[in-house]
Amino acid sequence: TFKMLVPALLVLLFCLRGHAGLSPHFLQQPDDLVALLGDEARLPCALGEYWGLVQWTKDGLALGGERDLPGWSRYWISGNAASGQHDLYIRPVELEDQASYECQATQAGLRSRPAQLHVLVPPEAPQVLGGPFVSLVAGIPANLTCRSRGDARPTPELLWFRDGIRLDGTTFRQTLLKEGTTGSVESILSLTPSSHDDGATLVCRARSQALPSGKDTAITLSLQYPPVVTLSAEPQTVLEGEKVTFLCQATAQPPVTGYRWAKGGSPVLGARGPMLEVVADASFLTEPVSCEVSNAVGSANRSTALDVQFGPILQARPEPMSVDVGEDASFSCAWRGNPLPRVTWTRSGDAQVLGSGTTLRLPSVGPEDAGDYICRAEPGLSGLGGGAAEARLTVNAPPVVTALHSAPAFLRGPARLQCLVFASPAPDAVVWSWDEGFLEAGSQGRFLVETFPVPEGRGGQGPALISVLHISGTQESDFSRGFNCSARNRLGEGGTQVSLGRRASASFSKQKNLVRIPGSSDGSSSRGPEEEETGSGEDRGPIVHTDHSDLVLDEEGALETKDPTNGYYKVRGVSVSLSLGEGPGGGLFLPPPSPLGHPGTPTFCDFNPHLGMVPPCRLYRARAGYLTTPHPRAFTSYSKPTSIGPPDLAPRTPPFPYAAFPIPSHPRLQTHV
């Protein structure tokens, strides 16, 4: 009965105080609270001017009016009730405790604001699939999966770390249960491992508000990788011909199974191990040596080129050039060497350096620039290699014509005039002209023209021609007039005037004389009647006949020697002057082809020794004509010439600006009879 009176008394007391002006009120209301699973939660509540019944509700459900809250073993109300303190305690907090709580003064009709209790569940240590040792293949992309399970609240964040450094490149994925709660969380790390990752430790960390420090799970990477190769050469810099050792080192998982060596892409036969010894040459500079190492995962190779030092080697020779006057000319040559060779250009016969490098340029060349140009490379450090290569520059210009020395001639005797023609390109024509005519080739009346090539002068001065004008039976006018020798090509024309010198006449007898020149093998020579009478069977050579003779008998019947050739032909016993210009009866002298030389070689030559050329002609031809003498057996011996010098340049002839000849010595032709 007393217990039933207590509430009634409290209500009465409340009413009496209310009438006195003091009403019940909250001194402290509960706030939202976050508590970790397993921890203790406290929701405060304090009332003033109220001594009635106080109770707590959970999601609207009254927990009871007693302070020990029977039926709720983990719940209780604590505090000084007399002072109005009615705090709700929960320990240990469980997931089911997450709810909305109110503190109520039922007799005063007071309710606190609702307070939400949030229960946080720390994440468990995550799981890495395949851990704690994960096997990967180097160079092959792979994914590592970290998974967090359980009822962690809130949903945890999964992070990857290596050596304390957070890794990027992850993908987050969350799986929900049917009820809408979190089932699992995954984080996928994508990476392409290398051999350097072998043995590396990666950490997956799950963290949330419930556990800011997080929980870690570590794994160790076990990498399988193809060989990692290091190739070295000792020595790296070497002279050509020295020995070099290559060393091929490799790390691999699983272990190495084989080695292969190659040079310039071609296998080195017989080389199988990690070491290779060779003798270095220039090819190693451009053909690297490579070593390929294999294992069960794959293979890898490395290559290295030696620094082989060798002397210059000519790769491209300069090419001859032919340019017109005023144009530019250039030569190029290529040398290969290590170190790069120094290339210089000079002109043949001159030590002055005209340029350096692989190309020589000559602007606006003139005739004086014609010649041989030399591309030279100095030997390398080894002292080997090097050398020179040359090419000729031909400058095309109008012909330059120079008169050559011509021997004086007798009146009504044979004569020849000579000119030397230098021209590049070769002349279209060489023409002899005089008062009443001109002649380019062949014969015309008393005149015969022959033109033939001459060996080139030194220094690339271009081709040369000698043109010879033969005169059969000279006349007085031939000694007073000038003969012009001219030549032309596409670039212009050049010419010179040649004069015929006269030789003093000797006294001649009027006897007809028949003389044989021994030593000739020409059996078709003409014979006079005197020769037919002798009937000699010996080889006496052809018979030369002339209308003039300087053979005079003395009182004793001996022949008196007179030599109108001034010693050019030496006679023993009989001295004969040669008049080869006319045949019997004053006919035109036309020398036939010589059986002793090539067709087209000139009939006469008068070359001085300083030109140094192979004689293009011989003094005599087998059927040149006749000599006259009263004694058919006057000649006792005859020596054929062995060499004849090239033409003399006429006195005071200006030197040809781009011609030069060697200067051998040739004796003047002498005939002994």
Side-chain angles (χ1 to χ4, degrees):
T1 59
F2 177 76
K3 290 182 179 180
M4 296 178 62
L5 291 175
V6 171
L9 291 174
L10 291 175
V11 171
L12 180 61
L13 178 64
F14 176 77
C15 291
L16 291 175
R17 294 192 62 171
H19 288 291
L22 297 175
S23 61
H25 59 277
F26 280 103
L27 297 177
Q28 185 179 11
Q29 298 186 55
D31 293 319
D32 291 345
L33 178 65
V34 175
L36 289 178
L37 181 68
D39 287 353
E40 181 181 272
R42 172 181 171 269
L43 296 172
C45 181
L47 292 166
E49 302 298 327
Y50 180 75
W51 292 274
L53 178 66
V54 176
Q55 68 175 1
W56 285 85
T57 63
K58 175 183 177 183
D59 290 336
L61 177 64
L63 299 180
E66 287 116 10
R67 299 190 66 87
D68 59 354
L69 299 178
W72 302 89
S73 59
R74 296 179 293 106
Y75 291 52
W76 73 91
I77 298 175
S78 178
N80 189 349
S83 61
Q85 195 73 34
H86 307 277
D87 297 339
L88 176 64
Y89 283 84
I90 303 173
R91 187 179 62 194
V93 175
E94 295 182 358
L95 287 177
E96 62 186 28
D97 298 332
Q98 182 166 296
S100 178
Y101 293 86
E102 291 182 4
C103 178
Q104 298 178 355
T106 57
Q107 294 170 331
L110 294 177
R111 298 174 60 182
S112 70
R113 62 175 174 265
Q116 186 70 36
L117 175 62
H118 297 279
V119 179
L120 301 183
V121 180
E124 298 177 358
Q127 177 189 9
V128 178
L129 302 184
F133 295 96
V134 178
S135 180
L136 302 176
V137 177
I140 305 299
N143 294 328
L144 298 180
T145 301
C146 178
R147 180 176 297 166
S148 175
R149 291 184 176 274
D151 296 325
R153 297 182 184 180
T155 302
E157 179 183 19
L158 300 178
L159 305 175
W160 289 92
F161 293 87
R162 177 175 178 175
D163 299 331
I165 300 174
R166 181 175 173 178
L167 301 177
D168 296 325
T170 60
T171 301
F172 181 79
R173 185 170 63 188
Q174 180 175 321
T175 302
L176 299 178
L177 299 178
K178 291 182 180 180
E179 294 80 4
T181 60
T182 302
S184 65
V185 178
E186 292 181 350
S187 178
I188 300 173
L189 174 65
S190 298
L191 75 163
T192 302
S194 69
S195 59
H196 302 292
D197 297 324
D198 186 39
T201 298
L202 302 183
V203 172
C204 180
R205 178 176 298 168
R207 73 178 184 183
S208 69
Q209 182 182 359
L211 187 63
S213 60
K215 284 190 176 181
D216 296 343
T217 298
I219 62 169
T220 301
L221 299 182
S222 176
L223 265 296
Q224 290 187 349
Y225 52 91
V228 178
V229 182
T230 301
L231 180 61
S232 62
E234 182 61 35
Q236 188 71 39
T237 300
V238 61
L239 294 178
E240 187 175 23
E242 293 184 348
K243 286 187 177 181
V244 179
T245 300
F246 292 91
L247 182 61
C248 186
Q249 296 175 308
T251 57
Q253 182 63 36
V256 171
T257 57
Y259 295 84
R260 285 202 317 167
W261 292 88
K263 174 178 174 285
S266 299
V268 179
L269 301 179
R272 291 290 183 268
M275 185 178 297
L276 176 67
E277 290 187 352
V278 298
V279 176
D281 57 36
S283 65
F284 283 87
L285 189 65
T286 55
E287 298 179 6
V289 172
S290 61
C291 173
E292 181 180 271
V293 186
S294 304
N295 70 351
V297 175
S299 62
N301 70 77
R302 288 291 181 271
S303 62
T304 183
L306 289 179
D307 183 16
V308 181
Q309 297 184 349
F310 58 94
I313 300 173
L314 181 63
Q315 287 188 306
R317 303 181 65 87
E319 297 293 334
M321 289 203 67
S322 177
V323 298
D324 292 348
V325 170
E327 293 184 351
D328 296 343
S330 65
F331 293 99
S332 296
C333 70
W335 294 84
R336 178 169 171 259
N338 184 34
L340 194 65
R342 179 176 179 267
V343 179
T344 58
W345 292 87
T346 59
R347 190 169 177 177
S348 180
D350 190 351
Q352 181 182 1
V353 176
L354 303 177
S356 59
T358 58
T359 302
L360 173 68
R361 291 181 173 85
L362 302 173
S364 187
V365 298
E368 67 278 1
D369 295 314
D372 292 328
Y373 289 83
I374 301 173
C375 170
R376 179 175 285 105
E378 300 298 328
L381 297 178
S382 63
L384 301 176
E390 66 179 47
R392 176 162 295 180
L393 173 62
T394 301
V395 179
N396 300 324
V400 175
V401 184
T402 305
L404 295 179
H405 172 70
S406 299
F410 292 109
L411 179 63
R412 293 184 299 279
R416 71 181 182 278
L417 302 177
Q418 304 170 112
C419 67
L420 180 64
V421 180
F422 281 95
S424 178
D428 302 324
V430 179
V431 179
W432 286 90
S433 61
W434 54 93
D435 293 341
E436 68 271 18
F438 66 91
L439 186 59
E440 179 179 341
S443 62
Q444 176 182 315
R446 299 180 298 115
F447 301 96
L448 170 68
V449 170
E450 293 181 302
T451 303
F452 54 92
V454 173
E456 291 186 4
R458 291 180 299 177
Q461 309 301 342
L465 299 174
I466 286 184
S467 184
V468 182
L469 174 65
H470 300 280
I471 306 174
S472 176
T474 59
Q475 300 176 359
E476 285 290 348
S477 60
D478 295 335
F479 299 102
S480 59
R481 63 180 156 192
F483 294 86
N484 292 319
C485 177
S486 61
R488 67 176 181 274
N489 62 11
R490 64 178 176 81
L491 297 175
E493 185 173 353
T496 189
Q497 189 175 76
V498 186
S499 298
L500 178 61
R502 183 168 183 170
R503 179 175 293 180
S505 300
S507 61
F508 287 85
S509 67
K510 298 301 181 179
Q511 296 175 328
K512 293 283 186 177
N513 298 287
L514 188 66
V515 179
R516 176 179 298 278
I517 302 176
S520 172
S521 60
D522 188 349
S524 62
S525 301
S526 301
R527 290 183 171 87
E530 294 86 354
E531 176 63 15
E532 296 296 335
E533 293 173 2
T534 61
S536 174
E538 63 182 352
D539 182 9
R540 286 168 283 182
I543 299 173
V544 181
H545 183 269
T546 180
D547 291 334
H548 308 285
S549 175
D550 61 349
L551 303 180
V552 181
L553 292 174
D554 59 14
E555 295 179 356
E556 298 178 358
L559 289 172
E560 179 184 356
T561 301
K562 295 181 181 179
D563 186 4
T565 65
N566 295 325
Y568 196 81
Y569 298 96
K570 293 189 177 180
V571 180
R572 291 195 299 271
V574 178
S575 178
V576 182
S577 66
L578 304 179
S579 177
L580 302 180
E582 301 178 11
L588 176 65
F589 170 71
L590 294 176
S594 170
L596 303 178
H598 297 289
T601 55
T603 307
F604 301 106
C605 290
D606 187 15
F607 294 169
N608 282 342
H610 71 276
L611 289 178
M613 296 182 295
V614 177
C617 56
R618 301 177 185 272
L619 183 62
Y620 291 108
R621 284 183 175 168
R623 294 186 290 263
Y626 293 91
L627 291 177
T628 58
T629 178
H631 298 281
R633 299 180 183 271
F635 289 89
T636 59
S637 65
Y638 168 66
S639 299
K640 287 195 287 187
T642 57
S643 63
I644 303 174
D648 294 337
L649 289 174
R652 300 182 181 177
T653 300
F656 186 54
Y658 51 105
F661 288 92
I663 310 177
S665 176
H666 292 279
R668 181 175 288 277
L669 174 67
Q670 292 184 345
T671 303
H672 299 278
V673 284

